[in-house]
């Protein structure tokens, strides 16, 4: 959501998304950066102080590190209100970029007395970041997730915007593996069209089958399809509960595995079952 129109931002909280990413980076022209930052700080002061956000996560995509605006964005947003907030850091190239953000946040939190958590999500969207994604994921600190950014990464790699999801498999697996190895969320980047069409559904289903936790969208019309794709359905939930119940019963009897409907159930399948139940929340 571009951080340039207050009324549109406030309406966006009612569109059914799990998280709203307010954008100070690509969606804002250079000559409007300062005005957008000031407007967004006012919106955050209202949103973070009251119930408007409801259960919707509030995130801000700040400008890239080494730009003239990154440190100003972080200071303004974090100092705007004392509610849970996430910073999406674009074009993360190495763990040093995250270390800079951590030190800056330490100082801002100390100066403002903020008590609510500030989370960090790293956008993997250039060749440097992709080549160091394991190092980035291992940084720790406030980092809670990796997001795969197709448009900028495609440009960095020389890959066409129309490249289908299956051609990104190597990249998708790299980001997913790095996230899982360090207990982070893995979020698939947006489908670059704005329609709720077969291409969007195919891209979302592909990411879910790979193991991603969710997917960004760039148009409100796409929210319902993506939520439906990533939310476990009743049959999946029932199966997951049956798996956990069967394995718990086996453990009480001293067995490490048990048969269920012709399938051997062990701890590996229990991990998948717990992830299914988490997606149903």
């Amino acid at each position: 959501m571009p951080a340039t129109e207050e009324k549109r931002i406030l309406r966006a909280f009612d569109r059914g998304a799990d998280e709203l990413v307010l954008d100070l980076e690509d969606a804002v022209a250079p000559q409007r950066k300062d005005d957008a930052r000031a407007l967004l700080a006012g919106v955050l002061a209202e949103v973070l102080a009251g119930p408007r956000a409801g259960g919707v996560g509030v995130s801000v995509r700040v400008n890239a590190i080494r730009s003239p605006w990154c440190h100003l964005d972080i200071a303004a947003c974090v100092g705007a209100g004392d509610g849970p907030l996430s910073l999406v850091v674009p074009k993360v190239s190495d763990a040093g970029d995250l270390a800079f953000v951590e030190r800056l946040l330490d100082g801002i939190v100390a100066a403002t007395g903020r008590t609510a958590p500030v989370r960090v999500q790293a956008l993997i969207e250039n060749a440097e970041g992709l080549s160091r994604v394991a190092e980035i994921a291992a940084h720790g600190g406030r980092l809670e997730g990796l997001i795969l950014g197709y448009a900028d990464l495609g440009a960095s790699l020389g890959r066409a915007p129309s490249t289908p999801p299956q051609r990104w498999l190597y990249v998708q697996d790299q980001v997913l593996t790095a996230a899982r190895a360090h207990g982070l969320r893995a979020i698939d980047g947006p489908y670059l069209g704005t329609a709720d069409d077969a291409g969007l559904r195919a891209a979302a289903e592909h990411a879910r089958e790979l193991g991603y936790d969710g997917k960004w969208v760039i148009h409100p019309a796409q929210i319902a399809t993506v939520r439906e794709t990533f939310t476990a359905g009743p049959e999946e939930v029932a199966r997951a509960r049956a798996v956990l119940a069967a394995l718990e019963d086996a453990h009480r009897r001293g067995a490490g595995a048990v048969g269920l409907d012709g399938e051997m159930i062990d701890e590996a399948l229990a991990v998948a079952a717990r992830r299914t139940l988490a997606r149903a929340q």
Side-chain angles (χ1 to χ4, degrees), residues 45-88:
E46 177 182 349
V47 169
L48 297 179
R52 178 180 290 274
V56 181
V58 182
S59 296
V60 178
R61 180 165 70 171
V62 298
N63 283 282
I65 293 169
R66 301 176 188 85
S67 75
W69 311 290
C70 178
H71 63 296
L72 299 173
D73 293 345
I74 294 175
C77 293
V78 174
D82 195 11
L85 180 68
S86 174
L87 298 178
V88 176

Side-chain angles (χ1 to χ4, degrees), residues 15-16 196 201 217 219-230:
R15 301 303 293 265
D196 178 15
R201 183 169 293 276
V217 301
H219 194 282
Q222 301 172 327
I223 293 172
T225 291
V226 170
R227 287 198 70 177
E228 176 187 344
T229 301
F230 281 89

Side-chain angles (χ1 to χ4, degrees), residues 48 78 81-85 109 112-119 142:
L48 297 179
V78 174
D82 195 11
L85 180 68
V109 168
T112 60
R114 164 183 266 273
T115 59
V118 180
R119 301 171 290 121
R142 295 177 173 89

Side-chain angles (χ1 to χ4, degrees), residues 3 11 27 30 34 52 103 109 130 144 160 181 186 233 275:
R11 287 199 301 268
D34 293 338
R52 178 180 290 274
R103 289 193 292 270
V109 168
L130 182 62
E144 70 157 10
R275 194 177 296 279

Side-chain angles (χ1 to χ4, degrees), residues 120-167:
V120 173
Q121 301 180 69
L123 260 169
I124 306 302
E125 52 182 350
N126 58 32
E128 294 88 347
L130 182 62
S131 70
R132 302 185 182 101
V133 67
E135 167 197 327
I136 292 167
H139 173 74
R142 295 177 173 89
L143 183 65
E144 70 157 10
L146 303 181
I147 307 159
L148 177 51
Y150 289 104
D152 283 291
L153 183 55
S156 179
L157 297 175
R159 189 168 291 184
S162 58
T163 302
Q166 293 77 9
R167 297 286 181 86

